[in-house]
mmCIF file of all heavy atoms in Angstrom:
data_model
loop_
_atom_site.group_PDB
_atom_site.id
_atom_site.type_symbol
_atom_site.label_atom_id
_atom_site.label_comp_id
_atom_site.label_asym_id
_atom_site.label_seq_id
_atom_site.Cartn_x
_atom_site.Cartn_y
_atom_site.Cartn_z
ATOM 1 N N GLU A 227 8.314 14.245 9.471
ATOM 2 C CA GLU A 227 9.089 15.484 9.481
ATOM 3 C C GLU A 227 8.251 16.746 9.324
ATOM 4 O O GLU A 227 8.708 17.842 9.669
ATOM 5 C CB GLU A 227 10.157 15.418 8.382
ATOM 6 C CG GLU A 227 11.119 14.262 8.578
ATOM 7 C CD GLU A 227 12.264 14.281 7.567
ATOM 8 O OE1 GLU A 227 12.632 15.367 7.106
ATOM 9 O OE2 GLU A 227 12.785 13.192 7.247
ATOM 10 N N MET A 228 7.032 16.628 8.791
ATOM 11 C CA MET A 228 6.171 17.801 8.674
ATOM 12 C C MET A 228 4.936 17.728 9.564
ATOM 13 O O MET A 228 4.185 18.696 9.657
ATOM 14 C CB MET A 228 5.722 17.988 7.209
ATOM 15 C CG MET A 228 6.796 18.444 6.270
ATOM 16 S SD MET A 228 6.058 19.012 4.680
ATOM 17 C CE MET A 228 7.528 19.172 3.673
ATOM 18 N N GLY A 229 4.702 16.580 10.198
ATOM 19 C CA GLY A 229 3.549 16.444 11.064
ATOM 20 C C GLY A 229 2.239 16.445 10.330
ATOM 21 O O GLY A 229 1.200 16.865 10.866
ATOM 22 N N ILE A 230 2.224 15.929 9.088
ATOM 23 C CA ILE A 230 1.013 15.890 8.269
ATOM 24 C C ILE A 230 0.381 14.497 8.378
ATOM 25 O O ILE A 230 1.071 13.486 8.240
ATOM 26 C CB ILE A 230 1.347 16.205 6.790
ATOM 27 C CG1 ILE A 230 1.840 17.649 6.661
ATOM 28 C CG2 ILE A 230 0.149 15.953 5.891
ATOM 29 C CD1 ILE A 230 2.335 17.999 5.265
ATOM 30 N N ASP A 231 -0.925 14.460 8.625
ATOM 31 C CA ASP A 231 -1.640 13.172 8.627
ATOM 32 C C ASP A 231 -1.778 12.671 7.191
ATOM 33 O O ASP A 231 -2.182 13.432 6.299
ATOM 34 C CB ASP A 231 -3.024 13.335 9.241
ATOM 35 C CG ASP A 231 -2.984 13.530 10.739
ATOM 36 O OD1 ASP A 231 -2.283 12.751 11.418
ATOM 37 O OD2 ASP A 231 -3.639 14.468 11.236
ATOM 38 N N VAL A 232 -1.458 11.411 6.972
ATOM 39 C CA VAL A 232 -1.587 10.802 5.659
ATOM 40 C C VAL A 232 -2.530 9.613 5.771
ATOM 41 O O VAL A 232 -2.290 8.689 6.556
ATOM 42 C CB VAL A 232 -0.237 10.364 5.084
ATOM 43 C CG1 VAL A 232 -0.445 9.626 3.759
ATOM 44 C CG2 VAL A 232 0.690 11.559 4.881
ATOM 45 N N TYR A 233 -3.609 9.645 4.986
ATOM 46 C CA TYR A 233 -4.579 8.558 4.948
ATOM 47 C C TYR A 233 -4.551 7.950 3.550
ATOM 48 O O TYR A 233 -4.930 8.591 2.568
ATOM 49 C CB TYR A 233 -5.980 9.090 5.274
ATOM 50 C CG TYR A 233 -6.032 9.851 6.571
ATOM 51 C CD1 TYR A 233 -6.207 11.242 6.577
ATOM 52 C CD2 TYR A 233 -5.905 9.197 7.792
ATOM 53 C CE1 TYR A 233 -6.255 11.946 7.768
ATOM 54 C CE2 TYR A 233 -5.961 9.898 8.989
ATOM 55 C CZ TYR A 233 -6.128 11.277 8.966
ATOM 56 O OH TYR A 233 -6.174 11.978 10.153
ATOM 57 N N ALA A 234 -4.095 6.711 3.462
ATOM 58 C CA ALA A 234 -3.972 6.030 2.177
ATOM 59 C C ALA A 234 -5.065 4.955 2.075
ATOM 60 O O ALA A 234 -5.364 4.270 3.045
ATOM 61 C CB ALA A 234 -2.595 5.398 2.028
ATOM 62 N N PHE A 235 -5.616 4.826 0.868
ATOM 63 C CA PHE A 235 -6.686 3.877 0.615
ATOM 64 C C PHE A 235 -6.316 3.007 -0.576
ATOM 65 O O PHE A 235 -5.884 3.523 -1.618
ATOM 66 C CB PHE A 235 -7.999 4.604 0.325
ATOM 67 C CG PHE A 235 -8.502 5.446 1.455
ATOM 68 C CD1 PHE A 235 -7.962 6.697 1.717
ATOM 69 C CD2 PHE A 235 -9.516 4.981 2.283
ATOM 70 C CE1 PHE A 235 -8.415 7.480 2.756
ATOM 71 C CE2 PHE A 235 -9.980 5.757 3.342
ATOM 72 C CZ PHE A 235 -9.422 7.001 3.580
ATOM 73 N N GLY A 236 -6.491 1.699 -0.447
ATOM 74 C CA GLY A 236 -6.175 0.838 -1.590
ATOM 75 C C GLY A 236 -6.400 -0.630 -1.280
ATOM 76 O O GLY A 236 -6.572 -1.017 -0.127
ATOM 77 N N ILE A 237 -6.384 -1.428 -2.333
ATOM 78 C CA ILE A 237 -6.466 -2.882 -2.163
ATOM 79 C C ILE A 237 -5.041 -3.415 -1.931
ATOM 80 O O ILE A 237 -4.072 -2.788 -2.330
ATOM 81 C CB ILE A 237 -7.125 -3.557 -3.368
ATOM 82 C CG1 ILE A 237 -6.359 -3.246 -4.663
ATOM 83 C CG2 ILE A 237 -8.564 -3.112 -3.515
ATOM 84 C CD1 ILE A 237 -6.930 -3.913 -5.897
ATOM 85 N N THR A 238 -4.953 -4.555 -1.297
ATOM 86 C CA THR A 238 -3.629 -5.104 -0.997
ATOM 87 C C THR A 238 -3.073 -5.955 -2.137
ATOM 88 O O THR A 238 -1.913 -5.795 -2.526
ATOM 89 C CB THR A 238 -3.672 -5.945 0.286
ATOM 90 O OG1 THR A 238 -4.700 -6.926 0.159
ATOM 91 C CG2 THR A 238 -3.944 -5.074 1.499
ATOM 92 N N ALA A 239 -3.914 -6.841 -2.679
ATOM 93 C CA ALA A 239 -3.403 -7.825 -3.647
ATOM 94 C C ALA A 239 -4.073 -7.677 -4.995
ATOM 95 O O ALA A 239 -5.215 -7.220 -5.109
ATOM 96 C CB ALA A 239 -3.615 -9.253 -3.113
ATOM 97 N N ASP A 240 -3.363 -8.090 -6.043
ATOM 98 C CA ASP A 240 -3.876 -7.997 -7.409
ATOM 99 C C ASP A 240 -4.689 -9.234 -7.763
ATOM 100 O O ASP A 240 -4.985 -10.082 -6.910
ATOM 101 C CB ASP A 240 -2.729 -7.770 -8.403
ATOM 102 C CG ASP A 240 -1.743 -8.941 -8.428
ATOM 103 O OD1 ASP A 240 -2.055 -10.048 -7.949
ATOM 104 O OD2 ASP A 240 -0.621 -8.740 -8.961
ATOM 105 N N PHE A 241 -5.037 -9.363 -9.049
ATOM 106 C CA PHE A 241 -5.888 -10.473 -9.490
ATOM 107 C C PHE A 241 -5.180 -11.818 -9.432
ATOM 108 O O PHE A 241 -5.806 -12.864 -9.579
ATOM 109 C CB PHE A 241 -6.379 -10.213 -10.933
ATOM 110 C CG PHE A 241 -5.294 -10.323 -11.977
ATOM 111 C CD1 PHE A 241 -5.229 -11.414 -12.817
ATOM 112 C CD2 PHE A 241 -4.338 -9.329 -12.125
ATOM 113 C CE1 PHE A 241 -4.245 -11.548 -13.778
ATOM 114 C CE2 PHE A 241 -3.345 -9.441 -13.087
ATOM 115 C CZ PHE A 241 -3.289 -10.532 -13.916
ATOM 116 N N ARG A 242 -3.846 -11.800 -9.201
ATOM 117 C CA ARG A 242 -3.086 -13.035 -9.048
ATOM 118 C C ARG A 242 -2.876 -13.365 -7.587
ATOM 119 O O ARG A 242 -2.139 -14.301 -7.266
ATOM 120 C CB ARG A 242 -1.723 -12.891 -9.737
ATOM 121 C CG ARG A 242 -1.810 -12.621 -11.232
ATOM 122 C CD ARG A 242 -0.485 -12.159 -11.815
ATOM 123 N NE ARG A 242 -0.024 -10.900 -11.194
ATOM 124 C CZ ARG A 242 1.026 -10.196 -11.614
ATOM 125 N NH1 ARG A 242 1.718 -10.628 -12.653
ATOM 126 N NH2 ARG A 242 1.375 -9.083 -11.000
ATOM 127 N N THR A 243 -3.505 -12.603 -6.682
ATOM 128 C CA THR A 243 -3.350 -12.683 -5.228
ATOM 129 C C THR A 243 -1.944 -12.350 -4.784
ATOM 130 O O THR A 243 -1.487 -12.806 -3.741
ATOM 131 C CB THR A 243 -3.771 -14.082 -4.674
ATOM 132 O OG1 THR A 243 -2.852 -15.075 -5.119
ATOM 133 C CG2 THR A 243 -5.197 -14.424 -5.087
ATOM 134 N N GLU A 244 -1.239 -11.522 -5.535
ATOM 135 C CA GLU A 244 0.101 -11.051 -5.183
ATOM 136 C C GLU A 244 0.004 -9.587 -4.735
ATOM 137 O O GLU A 244 -0.729 -8.792 -5.325
ATOM 138 C CB GLU A 244 1.049 -11.188 -6.360
ATOM 139 C CG GLU A 244 1.264 -12.616 -6.817
ATOM 140 C CD GLU A 244 2.145 -12.713 -8.051
ATOM 141 O OE1 GLU A 244 2.678 -11.663 -8.487
ATOM 142 O OE2 GLU A 244 2.320 -13.828 -8.571
ATOM 143 N N LEU A 245 0.772 -9.225 -3.709
ATOM 144 C CA LEU A 245 0.724 -7.870 -3.189
ATOM 145 C C LEU A 245 1.199 -6.858 -4.221
ATOM 146 O O LEU A 245 2.179 -7.081 -4.929
ATOM 147 C CB LEU A 245 1.612 -7.750 -1.945
ATOM 148 C CG LEU A 245 1.134 -8.447 -0.671
ATOM 149 C CD1 LEU A 245 2.203 -8.318 0.409
ATOM 150 C CD2 LEU A 245 -0.176 -7.861 -0.187
ATOM 151 N N PHE A 246 0.471 -5.736 -4.301
ATOM 152 C CA PHE A 246 0.972 -4.609 -5.074
ATOM 153 C C PHE A 246 2.193 -4.038 -4.352
ATOM 154 O O PHE A 246 2.227 -3.996 -3.124
ATOM 155 C CB PHE A 246 -0.093 -3.513 -5.184
ATOM 156 C CG PHE A 246 -1.184 -3.803 -6.161
ATOM 157 C CD1 PHE A 246 -2.396 -4.308 -5.743
ATOM 158 C CD2 PHE A 246 -1.008 -3.515 -7.513
ATOM 159 C CE1 PHE A 246 -3.411 -4.557 -6.652
ATOM 160 C CE2 PHE A 246 -2.028 -3.756 -8.432
ATOM 161 C CZ PHE A 246 -3.226 -4.282 -8.005
ATOM 162 N N PRO A 247 3.206 -3.562 -5.092
ATOM 163 C CA PRO A 247 4.388 -2.986 -4.438
ATOM 164 C C PRO A 247 4.029 -1.835 -3.492
ATOM 165 O O PRO A 247 4.584 -1.725 -2.390
ATOM 166 C CB PRO A 247 5.237 -2.510 -5.609
ATOM 167 C CG PRO A 247 4.853 -3.415 -6.738
ATOM 168 C CD PRO A 247 3.382 -3.672 -6.544
ATOM 169 N N GLY A 248 3.121 -0.958 -3.917
ATOM 170 C CA GLY A 248 2.728 0.154 -3.054
ATOM 171 C C GLY A 248 2.046 -0.323 -1.780
ATOM 172 O O GLY A 248 2.316 0.189 -0.683
ATOM 173 N N SER A 249 1.177 -1.306 -1.888
ATOM 174 C CA SER A 249 0.481 -1.826 -0.708
ATOM 175 C C SER A 249 1.449 -2.529 0.228
ATOM 176 O O SER A 249 1.345 -2.405 1.457
ATOM 177 C CB SER A 249 -0.610 -2.795 -1.133
ATOM 178 O OG SER A 249 -1.592 -2.140 -1.918
ATOM 179 N N ARG A 250 2.393 -3.259 -0.336
ATOM 180 C CA ARG A 250 3.382 -3.939 0.506
ATOM 181 C C ARG A 250 4.167 -2.927 1.346
ATOM 182 O O ARG A 250 4.361 -3.113 2.549
ATOM 183 C CB ARG A 250 4.356 -4.747 -0.348
ATOM 184 C CG ARG A 250 5.428 -5.473 0.465
ATOM 185 C CD ARG A 250 6.466 -6.146 -0.406
ATOM 186 N NE ARG A 250 5.875 -7.204 -1.201
ATOM 187 C CZ ARG A 250 5.746 -7.155 -2.531
ATOM 188 N NH1 ARG A 250 6.139 -6.078 -3.201
ATOM 189 N NH2 ARG A 250 5.215 -8.159 -3.184
ATOM 190 N N ARG A 251 4.587 -1.829 0.706
ATOM 191 C CA ARG A 251 5.360 -0.825 1.436
ATOM 192 C C ARG A 251 4.491 -0.120 2.476
ATOM 193 O O ARG A 251 4.984 0.240 3.555
ATOM 194 C CB ARG A 251 5.954 0.191 0.460
ATOM 195 C CG ARG A 251 7.134 0.967 1.058
ATOM 196 C CD ARG A 251 8.308 0.054 1.270
ATOM 197 N NE ARG A 251 9.460 0.732 1.851
ATOM 198 C CZ ARG A 251 10.051 0.339 2.973
ATOM 199 N NH1 ARG A 251 9.605 -0.717 3.642
ATOM 200 N NH2 ARG A 251 11.108 0.988 3.438
ATOM 201 N N LEU A 252 3.230 0.093 2.160
ATOM 202 C CA LEU A 252 2.333 0.702 3.137
ATOM 203 C C LEU A 252 2.152 -0.196 4.356
ATOM 204 O O LEU A 252 2.160 0.273 5.498
ATOM 205 C CB LEU A 252 0.980 1.009 2.489
ATOM 206 C CG LEU A 252 0.901 2.300 1.683
ATOM 207 C CD1 LEU A 252 -0.332 2.308 0.779
ATOM 208 C CD2 LEU A 252 0.874 3.502 2.614
ATOM 209 N N ILE A 253 1.992 -1.481 4.137
ATOM 210 C CA ILE A 253 1.855 -2.417 5.255
ATOM 211 C C ILE A 253 3.112 -2.395 6.121
ATOM 212 O O ILE A 253 3.055 -2.465 7.346
ATOM 213 C CB ILE A 253 1.568 -3.835 4.732
ATOM 214 C CG1 ILE A 253 0.191 -3.879 4.091
ATOM 215 C CG2 ILE A 253 1.660 -4.869 5.853
ATOM 216 C CD1 ILE A 253 -0.112 -5.166 3.346
ATOM 217 N N GLU A 254 4.257 -2.251 5.454
ATOM 218 C CA GLU A 254 5.527 -2.247 6.189
ATOM 219 C C GLU A 254 5.743 -0.965 7.000
ATOM 220 O O GLU A 254 6.351 -0.998 8.075
ATOM 221 C CB GLU A 254 6.680 -2.422 5.200
ATOM 222 C CG GLU A 254 6.704 -3.786 4.529
ATOM 223 C CD GLU A 254 7.627 -3.839 3.317
ATOM 224 O OE1 GLU A 254 8.054 -2.768 2.843
ATOM 225 O OE2 GLU A 254 7.934 -4.957 2.858
#
């Protein structure tokens, strides 16, 4: 809606090999 480029950086999974909620939503 604003035409702004967003570049997000992060790891996908935690120490239990489970996706972080934020990473899951970013992948989606």
Side-chain angles (χ1 to χ4, degrees):
E227 300 186 29
M228 289 194 191
I230 295 174
D231 288 312
V232 175
Y233 306 109
F235 298 79
I237 58 179
T238 54
D240 63 17
F241 71 105
R242 300 167 299 188
T243 67
E244 297 177 5
L245 289 175
F246 283 98
S249 298
R250 179 186 296 112
R251 199 68 181 125
L252 278 164
I253 292 171
E254 293 166 346

